[in-house]
Amino acid sequence: MNAAEEKHPVAATQAAEAPQWEHYSKCIHCGLCLNACPTYRLLGVEMDSPRGRIYQMIQVEQGRLRLGKPYAHHMDLCLNCRACETACPSGVEYGRLVEAARSEIERAYRRPWAERWARKFFFDYLLPSRRRLEMAGNVLRMFQRSGLEKALLTSGVLKIMPGRMDAVARLAPRMEKPFFTDWLGRVIPASGGRRYRVAFFAGCIANLAFARLNEATVRLLARNGCEVVIPKAQGCCGALHVHAGLRDTARQLAVANITAFAREGVDAIITNTAGCGAVLKEYPILFERADREWHEPAKGFSARVKDVTEFLASIDFCQDFAPVKARATYQDPCHLLHAQRIRSAPRKLLAAIPGLDLVELKEAEICCGSAGIYNVVQNEMAERLLAAKMRRIDETGADMILTANPGCLLQLRAGVARSTQNQRRVLHVVELLDEAGRKQELT
Amino acid sequence: MKSPPLIRELVRATNTEAVLWRAEDLLLYEYDALSVMRQPEAVVFPTTTEEVVRVVGIAAQQGVSVIPRGAGTGLSGGATVAERGILIALSRMNKIVEIDLENQRARVQPGVVNLDLSRAVEDAGYYFAPDPSSQKACTLGGNVAENSGGPHTLAYGVTTHHALGLEIVLSDGDVIHTGAKFWDRPGYDLTGVVVGSEGTLGIVTEITVRLCRLPEAVKTLLAIFDRVLDATRTVAAITARGITPAALEMMDGFTLRAVEAATGAGYPIDSAAVLLIEVEGLREAVEEQAQAIEAVCRENSAREVRCARSEEERALLWKGRKNAFGALGRIAPNYYVQDGVIPRTRLPEMLEFTAEVEKRYALRIGNIFHAGDGNLHPLIMFDARDRSECERVVRAARDLIAKCVEMGGSITGEHGVGVEKNELMPLIFSEDDLEMQRRIKGVFNPSGLFNPGKVLPTGKMCGELRIQIGAGA
Ligand SMILES: Cc1cc2nc3c(=O)[nH]c(=O)nc-3n(C[C@H](O)[C@H](O)[C@H](O)COP(=O)(O)OP(=O)(O)OC[C@H]3O[C@@H](n4cnc5c(N)ncnc54)[C@H](O)[C@@H]3O)c2cc1C
Ligand code: SF4
Ligand code: SF4
């Protein structure tokens, strides 16, 4: 039923989507972005710095550098965390550049077969289809519950497998039954008087792996006077496709979502996932050079998209919380902080919880290594970033770690699980707000 | 592709991951923040002083020169290759070796980023005072090599006032230590000689720096003027009253409109110029100074004098100022930033001259000054695709620098000489002066191994700026 499930012809439009002069010429190679870049901080080489990556794009455009394996490697190693955008005084839109570069790589560079196959399966077959995702989710859940997964992880079998199977397997999210897919198509009434009518963007994998978080988000919105519509025809946002350079598929997914939400007269379209939010807000960019007729509808759609923390902080949100006795710290999700420029909203919400001692995390603006599926495809780099992150978290002495994006939750939970320090709770800001709010209602 | 013998030796002296030599990698080491030059033959990333010594040894033996590189934020081409050579990149020597708060000092490797050092000691109430606008990216090794300063140079001095001692690898592979852990050092001030030597005397492998205590109170004022002339007069008037603010910066209307568009810090876009003035110290003294400064501004026809009310407001004003180059970078595809010094009493005259140059060459120039020190940063806007414009840019820059010299100033305030201005050195030094400098270089770096073609004039393009403007952009 998803438009994206149909096969699509060769990506002819992507040729026009290479990095454009009007965007890369803004880079004055000043280097002020270097130390903000997680890969540069670890490797210290220009090729893996924002300035160097932009320079490589320019050299490819000018024919001085071959669009080959080394180029693809440096572009792949980029987390697309966009910390360089925050650091850049010249307003270089790096995210747009790297996404364009990757689309060009997709068109002109042939990856090794195993990688091609895996990408095809994941991006074209799995993500765009709710039915297939759900099937895969059920299989994974059986595997997790049967004890097979545990057996496999403890057996050490994975350690002798090629690549980094062992580390990667540990990142697989828990499948949370009942899936949130049951909620699609429903309208949840506001508790108390209705002040807003909002639509909830539920995501794709999140419906299976973050079903409880999605429920908490909807509950919290309802508690704040929102009638919540959950359109049935919505699907994957396409963020991972945009990051991977698969713009044609991304456009199909975008069109499906724009259409699904267009029917609803709502004040805002709300997501609890920073990565989705960033791309949903940037849908118009996808239609700048292809399928132009969707550019205006995309603008209308994107203008209504709000991160859940952004939305709540902008309204007179319900501050009736039970006290939470905890020392907590907050890690900024890159796509919230750098892509959407949202910093104060989650902090403002947390500050309203009585008893919560929020200590600022040093280097909170640096990626934890999660970055979409980066921790799977670039596992070694991701592990190094996670280790650095956990050291900083340990320094805070926090017994609760907060963030605002499911991908970061998975990564940080993996970090906590292997840490030798006390086990700490890792929560989405929404989960804590929901928990403290409900506790208060009970008392 | 098989690696050449030089590469194999460098790998042996370090490790495989520490050496770049493939064409596609070297391509990314042809630039710094100024311009595009030649590509190195290899880039080596040592992690210890011993590795630096071994690499220098190999280079000396094979007769290839060595160019040290920090973060490559330099604005005079210092970290690029002028002739032939290998780069020693210090980005992986980025450990803070020791923090000794009781004695207000820290020992660091040269690749530590300026701001990272301040961040590491801020909780304890300390910071590293030199604050170049590039401080979130540039390295302390680069700061030492360029003798960098920043807005707070006016009160706290430049890097040389904060570098207590250095460990340096010389061209024959000897490792020497200059200075001491304390202020008072017997003998010749070799630290002072090496600070500002732009990588031409040796490779700095460790630095002992002074840490300053964060002030008890800080007050940041924004004085707004309807005439540029009034703003420049105010600068001299403030210091004439015997007040030394911690920082005294000026931006003209053109610049601050760009800054405001980029940062939204609250700069008044309808004004002709602003002064950003900071005073710090003990609470009462700060209050008193701020009042005195406000009075001087008003006497000199300031339209308004604002005071930052919160730390956020203050941080935002500074963010605007520190990102000013980049903000102007948004307006035109390219800019060329000049760096000259004049006596601060002559700021009004200099600004008039800049306006003349703008007209003469049909260019737009933004004016950003560390006004308190008379350090000018005119930013000349252009489009690199327009070759004739590029030529005019270089001529305009040359005229501005010549004017600084004529006024009794200097060809560079803080961005260094590098490859850009070495042929201008005769404008401010006599042949005898230069000969003495050559002799000093000969003592440290007799074979000319380190960073050749920089700082001292080669005599090839006498009296000209050496920059290929817009190359690679
Ligand atoms: C936007 C912008 C704003 C700037 N603002 C300021 C400012 O306010 N004040 C200021 O002073 N400068 C400023 N600069 C210039 C520059 O940032 C400084 O000169 C800085 O100190 C350079 O540091 P780096 O690590 O990038 O050095 P690089 O550019 O890598 O190298 C600079 C020079 O130092 C040498 N060098 C580097 N490391 C070593 C070492 N370990 N041993 C020996 N030699 C070495 C190199 O050979 C080269 O000659 C600015 C630059 C930019 C792009
Ligand atoms: S991306 Fe921005 S900060 Fe980085 S080098 Fe380019 S202009 Fe400078
Ligand atoms: S997006 Fe992140 S990883 Fe990629 S260049 Fe920018 S800062 Fe580096």
Side-chain angles (χ1 to χ4, degrees):
Chain A
M1 54 150 245
N2 245 315
E5 274 182 48
E6 290 162 20
K7 270 253 121 336
H8 197 76
V10 184
T13 46
Q14 296 194 347
E17 296 189 87
Q20 304 291 315
W21 184 88
E22 56 172 311
H23 298 126
Y24 62 65
S25 67
K26 280 199 200 151
C27 175
I28 51 174
H29 52 91
C30 66
L32 292 205
C33 50
L34 296 191
N35 199 40
C37 172
T39 58
Y40 180 83
R41 291 168 66 93
L42 288 181
L43 302 173
V45 296
E46 278 289 327
M47 297 86 73
D48 293 309
S49 77
R51 169 171 70 177
R53 289 195 176 104
I54 296 170
Y55 201 70
Q56 289 170 87
M57 294 173 201
I58 300 174
Q59 302 315 308
V60 165
E61 289 302 294
Q62 298 183 344
R64 282 182 77 210
L65 180 66
R66 214 166 51 84
L67 203 163
K69 193 173 167 187
Y71 178 65
H73 169 73
H74 297 305
M75 295 304 142
D76 284 350
L77 205 58
C78 166
L79 295 138
N80 202 353
C81 70
R82 297 168 65 171
C84 46
E85 284 189 27
T86 303
C88 176
S90 299
V92 171
E93 295 169 79
Y94 176 85
R96 180 200 262 283
L97 283 169
V98 75
E99 284 156 15
R102 285 176 177 173
S103 120
E104 199 185 18
I105 289 171
E106 212 39 43
R107 184 178 57 83
Y109 171 68
R110 207 172 152 79
R111 291 179 183 276
W113 71 267
E115 211 179 317
R116 265 194 339 259
W117 183 84
R119 286 166 68 97
K120 206 162 184 51
F121 175 77
F122 185 67
F123 289 119
D124 289 356
Y125 184 80
L126 208 55
L127 284 188
S129 161
R130 188 186 305 148
R131 189 172 46 80
R132 288 183 200 136
L133 260 179
E134 215 170 319
M135 254 161 55
N138 277 318
V139 172
L140 184 56
R141 181 155 181 277
M142 262 160 55
F143 172 68
Q144 288 172 343
R145 286 170 50 108
S146 67
L148 255 178
E149 184 194 44
K150 199 163 170 220
L152 199 64
L153 287 176
T154 46
S155 70
V157 171
L158 291 173
K159 288 209 172 69
I160 55 170
M161 299 272 283
R164 302 177 57 91
M165 281 293 275
D166 186 48
V168 168
R170 285 170 204 278
L171 290 167
R174 302 280 98 190
M175 292 296 121
E176 297 180 349
K177 272 271 177 172
F179 293 157
F180 190 76
T181 35
D182 299 347
W183 291 56
L184 299 179
R186 286 165 54 180
V187 177
I188 316 310
S191 47
R194 176 182 124 175
R195 289 191 287 154
Y196 306 94
R197 183 177 152 84
V198 302
F200 179 58
F201 183 83
C204 53
I205 300 174
N207 282 321
L208 320 178
F210 288 96
R212 302 293 83 75
L213 169 61
N214 275 0
E215 287 166 15
T217 310
V218 171
R219 248 191 330 259
L220 184 64
L221 287 167
R223 186 165 187 258
N224 277 281
C226 298
E227 177 181 61
V228 187
V229 189
I230 312 173
K232 187 163 184 127
Q234 62 173 304
C236 170
C237 66
L240 294 176
H241 300 82
V242 174
H243 298 167
L246 302 162
R247 293 175 87 83
D248 285 325
T249 316
R251 266 188 286 272
Q252 290 163 20
L253 295 168
V255 165
N257 282 322
I258 294 168
T259 316
F261 284 86
R263 294 181 213 121
E264 313 292 347
V266 292
D267 301 310
I269 299 167
I270 297 197
T271 168
N272 57 24
T273 306
C276 301
V279 85
L280 293 173
K281 287 180 177 178
E282 290 174 1
Y283 270 173
I285 296 180
L286 281 172
F287 300 103
E288 278 176 356
R289 292 176 182 274
D291 304 337
R292 291 258 336 153
E293 69 277 14
W294 284 96
H295 193 241
E296 278 307 312
K299 278 188 2 207
F301 172 89
S302 295
R304 290 189 295 167
V305 175
K306 294 260 178 326
D307 185 77
V308 57
T309 61
E310 177 187 20
F311 177 78
L312 288 175
S314 74
I315 65 172
D316 180 20
F317 69 98
C318 173
Q319 309 212 357
D320 204 7
F321 297 114
V324 174
K325 286 266 162 288
R327 187 178 172 86
T329 197
Y330 173 76
Q331 158 70 15
D332 286 286
C334 298
H335 282 184
L336 201 59
L337 179 67
H338 302 303
Q340 300 184 55
R341 304 288 159 100
I342 296 174
R343 194 189 128 80
S344 59
R347 290 176 169 82
K348 178 175 167 190
L349 299 175
L350 292 172
I353 301 178
L356 190 73
D357 174 20
L358 191 68
V359 264
E360 281 295 334
L361 173 66
K362 283 207 172 170
E363 296 174 1
E365 71 287 356
I366 292 173
C367 185
C368 65
S370 163
I373 52 165
Y374 189 92
N375 49 5
V376 176
V377 291
Q378 301 287 353
N379 184 257
E380 186 181 347
M381 183 60 70
E383 291 290 314
R384 287 175 67 183
L385 289 169
L386 179 58
K389 182 61 62 192
M390 294 313 295
R391 277 197 297 278
R392 285 300 191 190
I393 289 177
D394 291 348
E395 275 170 26
T396 63
D399 45 36
M400 179 188 281
I401 306 166
L402 294 159
T403 186
N405 182 48
C408 311
L409 286 175
L410 284 182
Q411 179 81 344
L412 294 171
R413 280 178 188 155
V416 167
R418 85 179 60 136
S419 147
T420 49
Q421 295 225 346
N422 290 341
Q423 292 304 301
R424 285 151 287 180
R425 291 182 81 194
V426 184
L427 292 174
H428 193 295
V429 170
V430 160
E431 289 174 306
L432 186 65
L433 294 173
D434 174 59
E435 200 178 283
R438 286 212 289 171
K439 219 182 253 163
Q440 181 70 353
E441 275 164 22
L442 290 177
T443 54
Chain B
M1 192 169 152
K2 203 167 128 36
S3 57
L6 169 66
I7 305 302
R8 286 202 295 276
E9 284 210 40
L10 291 173
V11 168
R12 214 170 304 137
T14 51
N15 62 69
T16 333
E17 263 86 68
V19 185
L20 297 178
W21 57 277
R22 290 191 160 79
E24 68 264 15
D25 294 340
L26 299 182
L27 190 62
L28 298 216
Y29 285 88
E30 62 184 10
Y31 56 74
D32 65 0
L34 171 78
S35 169
V36 173
M37 303 283 292
R38 300 221 174 109
Q39 285 169 31
E41 283 165 45
V43 188
V44 194
F45 296 82
T47 48
T48 61
T49 304
E50 293 69 45
E51 283 181 352
V52 174
V53 170
R54 286 204 288 274
V55 171
V56 167
I58 293 168
Q61 194 194 357
Q62 305 243 351
V64 289
S65 49
V66 173
I67 297 105
R69 181 178 172 106
T73 68
L75 285 169
S76 52
T80 56
V81 180
E83 290 165 8
R84 247 193 79 200
I86 62 169
L87 289 180
I88 292 193
L90 295 139
S91 55
R92 290 184 192 162
M93 282 184 77
N94 61 353
K95 308 248 150 16
I96 296 176
V97 185
E98 185 194 351
I99 293 175
D100 175 4
L101 289 179
E102 278 88 66
N103 295 301
Q104 290 196 216
R105 66 198 175 201
R107 211 146 51 83
V108 300
Q109 288 188 314
V112 171
V113 167
N114 175 305
L115 193 59
D116 285 351
L117 175 61
S118 287
R119 290 248 167 91
V121 294
E122 72 188 354
D123 290 347
Y126 292 90
Y127 75 116
F128 178 66
D131 61 339
S133 302
S134 52
Q135 73 183 137
K136 65 182 172 191
C138 63
T139 67
L140 291 164
N143 295 166
V144 164
E146 298 287 357
N147 193 13
S148 292
H152 290 79
T153 290
L154 185 57
Y156 295 94
V158 283
T159 302
T160 198
H161 303 112
H162 300 270
L164 299 173
L166 302 174
E167 177 185 85
I168 307 158
V169 175
L170 300 179
S171 60
D172 56 7
D174 282 354
V175 179
I176 62 159
H177 294 88
T178 69
K181 287 185 167 180
F182 304 100
W183 256 127
D184 199 8
R185 40 202 170 193
Y188 297 122
D189 178 12
L190 295 186
T191 310
V193 172
V194 173
V195 173
S197 64
E198 303 190 21
T200 60
L201 300 186
I203 314 263
V204 175
T205 48
E206 196 174 279
I207 309 158
T208 303
V209 295
R210 183 156 74 116
L211 299 173
C212 293
R213 268 209 82 82
L214 286 162
E216 182 187 291
V218 181
K219 219 166 174 130
T220 307
L221 303 170
L222 184 70
I224 303 163
F225 296 86
D226 285 327
R227 292 193 325 161
V228 186
L229 193 64
D230 295 330
T232 47
R233 278 195 188 129
T234 307
V235 173
I238 288 174
T239 39
R241 290 285 162 89
I243 311 168
T244 308
L248 177 43
E249 303 282 302
M250 186 185 132
M251 290 191 276
D252 69 358
F254 175 63
T255 305
L256 66 90
R257 276 183 282 282
V259 165
E260 190 52 26
T263 315
Y267 284 108
I269 51 173
D270 60 340
S271 64
V274 294
L275 294 179
L276 184 61
I277 310 162
E278 194 154 275
V279 283
E280 49 182 57
L282 297 175
R283 202 153 276 125
E284 299 77 33
V286 162
E287 210 45 62
E288 228 168 76
Q289 282 195 345
Q291 277 166 13
I293 289 172
E294 184 172 341
V296 179
C297 292
R298 293 205 191 277
E299 280 160 32
N300 284 279
S301 319
R303 174 175 94 192
E304 193 188 335
V305 183
R306 289 184 201 161
C307 179
R309 275 157 308 183
S310 64
E311 183 49 37
E312 280 97 80
E313 243 183 72
R314 171 179 176 261
L316 211 53
L317 284 173
W318 277 112
K319 186 173 170 202
R321 166 59 191 88
K322 294 211 166 176
N323 285 341
F325 293 180
L328 282 167
R330 296 178 187 218
I331 294 184
N334 308 83
Y335 70 70
Y336 178 34
V337 53
Q338 255 313 328
D339 170 40
V341 188
I342 55 166
R344 63 183 161 232
T345 46
R346 302 190 65 179
L347 278 171
E349 212 181 313
M350 185 67 202
L351 263 171
E352 258 167 56
F353 180 77
T354 309
E356 244 175 77
V357 169
E358 258 187 311
K359 272 205 215 86
R360 189 180 309 157
Y361 296 105
L363 293 165
R364 275 300 340 213
I365 302 181
N367 286 293
I368 309 174
F369 304 161
H370 301 305
D373 324 298
N375 186 183
L376 319 175
H377 291 318
L379 263 94
I380 314 174
M381 324 295 297
F382 67 101
D383 184 336
R385 292 170 301 177
D386 180 343
R387 293 324 293 178
S388 110
E389 195 167 66
C390 290
E391 268 165 45
R392 278 181 281 137
V393 169
V394 181
R395 294 220 300 274
R398 167 77 228 253
D399 289 1
L400 291 171
I401 290 301
K403 185 77 179 176
C404 291
V405 174
E406 187 194 307
M407 288 181 166
S410 167
I411 59 172
T412 166
E414 53 183 22
H415 296 169
V417 177
V419 279
E420 182 198 16
K421 290 180 172 167
N422 54 346
E423 309 302 350
L424 299 184
M425 290 284 271
L427 296 182
I428 49 171
F429 292 114
S430 72
E431 192 38 48
D432 286 345
D433 300 343
L434 286 171
E435 185 49 34
M436 194 62 206
Q437 298 212 15
R438 278 190 204 103
R439 272 155 59 187
I440 300 260
K441 179 173 164 186
V443 173
F444 279 84
N445 180 17
S447 55
L449 186 75
F450 293 131
N451 221 350
K454 314 267 173 77
V455 185
L456 295 175
T458 60
K460 281 179 203 146
M461 282 173 67
C462 198
E464 289 305 321
L465 278 169
R466 271 208 304 171
I467 172 175
Q468 250 193 310
I469 251 192

